[in-house]
Amino acid sequence: MAGEAEEMKVVGGLWKAENGLYIRPAQIDDQPEIEKTFVVARGIMKKNGNPNQWGDTHPLPSTLWQDMVNGNSFVVVDTGGAVCGTFSLLQGPDPTYARIESGAWLNSDPYVVVHRLASNGKRRGVFNAVFEYSEQGAKNIRVDTHRDNKIMQKLLSTRGYVYCGVIYLADGQARLAYQKVVTEAREGE
């Protein structure tokens, strides 16, 4: 039954979220639109008190390109196929998650990581579509965000992600670390 439900979510090669948005692997010709999405997202972050997480240049185009080449980059599109968000979904382990301070991960089981989640602000529901997609195929999801990213912290908490502690990026910057252990829904829920 679960397999049937997952199959029904794929429409025309696109994964369909409950909110009507679609997710597909990013393609090379998506890069300009992905880069524009990050420009808008950085502006939204600054406007909401988070000017330092990505500054004016992150993520770098070379990082976005590498995500695409490695098959880790995805786009969120509307019913017309227009890009309205993007993210990277990577299989752990993530080296920056090896050490966590002021807390602990919920478990040491294999996990996926959501990185570089951005919306261009044209459609509501990008965050929920991304995490609905991620939770369909993984039992453990980890994600980190900047201390000033209050929007992301609230959305993670609302979706059932648990604050686990502080991790450090390769350049030494601190990030708040979250994890969700996805459990199978019981019959009748």
Side-chain angles (χ1 to χ4, degrees), residues 36-38 40-41 44 83-85 118-126:
K36 287 180 197 172
T37 298
F38 279 104
V40 173
I44 293 169
V83 172
C84 51
S119 168
N120 64 14
K122 293 181 181 176
R123 282 291 312 267
R124 294 182 64 92
V126 168

Side-chain angles (χ1 to χ4, degrees), residues 9-16 22-25 77-78:
K9 290 194 152 254
V10 177
V11 178
L14 304 173
W15 185 88
K16 184 177 182 182
Y22 295 85
I23 293 177
R24 65 169 171 76
V77 298
D78 64 18

Side-chain angles (χ1 to χ4, degrees), residues 1-2 5-6 37 55 85 88 98 103 110 117 131 137 142 154 156 179:
M1 191 68 122
E6 287 175 22
T37 298
S88 293
L117 169 56
F131 282 93
R142 293 182 182 180
K154 181 179 178 184
L156 287 167
Q179 182 177 3

Side-chain angles (χ1 to χ4, degrees), residues 24-37 64-65 68 73-77 81-83 85-86:
R24 65 169 171 76
Q27 301 164 353
I28 299 303
D29 58 352
D30 290 322
Q31 178 133 1
E33 208 52 46
I34 290 171
E35 288 182 26
K36 287 180 197 172
T37 298
L64 302 175
W65 178 263
M68 275 190 271
S73 181
F74 296 84
V75 290
V76 182
V77 298
V83 172
T86 184

Side-chain angles (χ1 to χ4, degrees), residues 61-120:
S62 59
T63 301
L64 302 175
W65 178 263
Q66 197 60 54
D67 282 346
M68 275 190 271
V69 169
N70 292 339
N72 299 324
S73 181
F74 296 84
V75 290
V76 182
V77 298
D78 64 18
T79 55
V83 172
C84 51
T86 184
F87 67 102
S88 293
L89 186 64
L90 299 98
Q91 184 64 48
D94 183 318
T96 63
Y97 289 3
R99 187 184 81 163
I100 187 166
E101 294 181 354
S102 303
W105 294 112
L106 300 178
N107 61 39
S108 59
D109 294 346
Y111 59 90
V112 297
V113 181
V114 176
H115 278 313
R116 296 178 278 288
L117 169 56
S119 168
N120 64 14

